[in-house]
Amino acid sequence: MRLIIMGPPGAGKGTQARYIAEHFGIPAISTGDIFRANVSQGTPLGVEAKRYMDAGEYVPDEITNRMVRNRIDEPDAKQGFLLDGYPRTLAQVEELDGMIKFTGHQLDAVLSVVVDKDEVVKRLLQRAQIEGRADDTEDVIRRRQEVYLEQTQPLIQVYGERDILVEVDGLGEVDEVTKRIFDALDVVPES
């Protein structure tokens, strides 16, 4: 199974990604984890990415694409993977298409975890209080939600047109959401 998980900050993607990966026996691959691994290991791509990250800038697609390509080429991803945080741009969608096509497979589904914006803001404000994140104000959280929608709406449209978009309600108890996701994905044919 070759999957992408999308959803706004606070939708529970990280939690659900672990369950989905375990369910299908595939690695959950987060671009944040890929960046951190490359930086901590001092790989040439990590050194390059760190320059941008230290300056607070967006890591260019070329570097991100190469890191993702290297990661999905690893042995544990041969039977499939779940990507979290990639692709983020239409150019990255095209790049990922090429990576997967090269393996003789295709993307099986794009899971969009749909949540009520106000509920997620409430959830993130509670988390900020518990974890002492003073910079996570309501305005900042709402802006992150807007940026997510602006950036991902074109991707959601593309995957919807390809008829591989699977939308699942992300509100409720974790196990309820997990069951909804499994019910939706278990009927998806694997490439």
Side-chain angles (χ1 to χ4, degrees):
M1 186 69 84
R2 285 154 187 82
L3 305 166
I4 295 172
I5 188 169
M6 302 176 103
K13 291 184 313 293
T15 299
Q16 293 301 333
R18 286 192 304 275
Y19 294 129
I20 295 165
E22 185 178 306
H23 181 75
F24 289 106
I26 57 177
I29 300 171
S30 152
T31 48
D33 291 345
I34 295 172
F35 285 156
R36 284 186 288 279
N38 276 274
V39 169
S40 70
Q41 294 166 14
T43 69
L45 286 175
V47 169
E48 213 173 329
K50 188 175 184 327
R51 282 198 337 243
Y52 293 96
M53 293 162 67
D54 287 349
E57 295 178 22
Y58 179 75
V59 177
D61 280 357
E62 177 187 325
I63 296 170
T64 304
N65 292 339
R66 289 195 333 236
M67 284 186 183
V68 170
R69 181 180 299 113
N70 290 348
R71 178 61 186 92
I72 67 175
D73 281 346
E74 290 181 23
D76 69 333
K78 291 291 185 221
Q79 298 304 312
F81 49 80
L82 171 66
L83 290 174
D84 176 3
Y86 183 91
R88 288 190 188 257
T89 65
L90 291 172
Q92 288 178 352
V93 167
E94 289 180 28
E95 187 70 23
L96 179 61
D97 288 346
M99 290 179 211
I100 296 173
K101 188 176 183 179
F102 182 76
T103 68
H105 297 278
Q106 62 188 23
L107 193 58
D108 297 308
V110 175
L111 174 67
S112 177
V113 180
V114 180
V115 291
D116 176 76
K117 190 188 322 182
D118 291 331
E119 185 61 35
V120 170
V121 169
K122 190 171 97 178
R123 188 186 292 176
L124 289 173
L125 284 171
Q126 287 173 340
R127 184 172 82 183
Q129 249 185 340
I130 292 167
E131 296 178 6
R133 297 181 181 191
D135 56 333
D136 273 358
T137 64
E138 184 169 345
D139 288 343
V140 168
I141 291 169
R142 287 194 183 279
R143 179 62 190 141
R144 273 194 232 127
Q145 301 292 322
E146 290 169 12
V147 168
Y148 169 79
L149 280 174
E150 290 166 9
Q151 289 179 346
T152 58
Q153 197 56 49
L155 280 63
I156 288 172
Q157 184 176 341
V158 164
Y159 290 126
E161 289 168 1
R162 293 182 185 182
D163 204 26
I164 60 171
L165 183 67
V166 176
E167 293 184 315
V168 174
D169 179 2
L171 290 181
E173 295 299 317
V174 171
D175 57 338
E176 293 171 8
V177 176
T178 304
K179 182 179 180 339
R180 281 185 222 130
I181 289 171
F182 289 169
D183 288 348
L185 292 178
D186 283 343
V187 298
V188 171
E190 296 180 33
S191 67

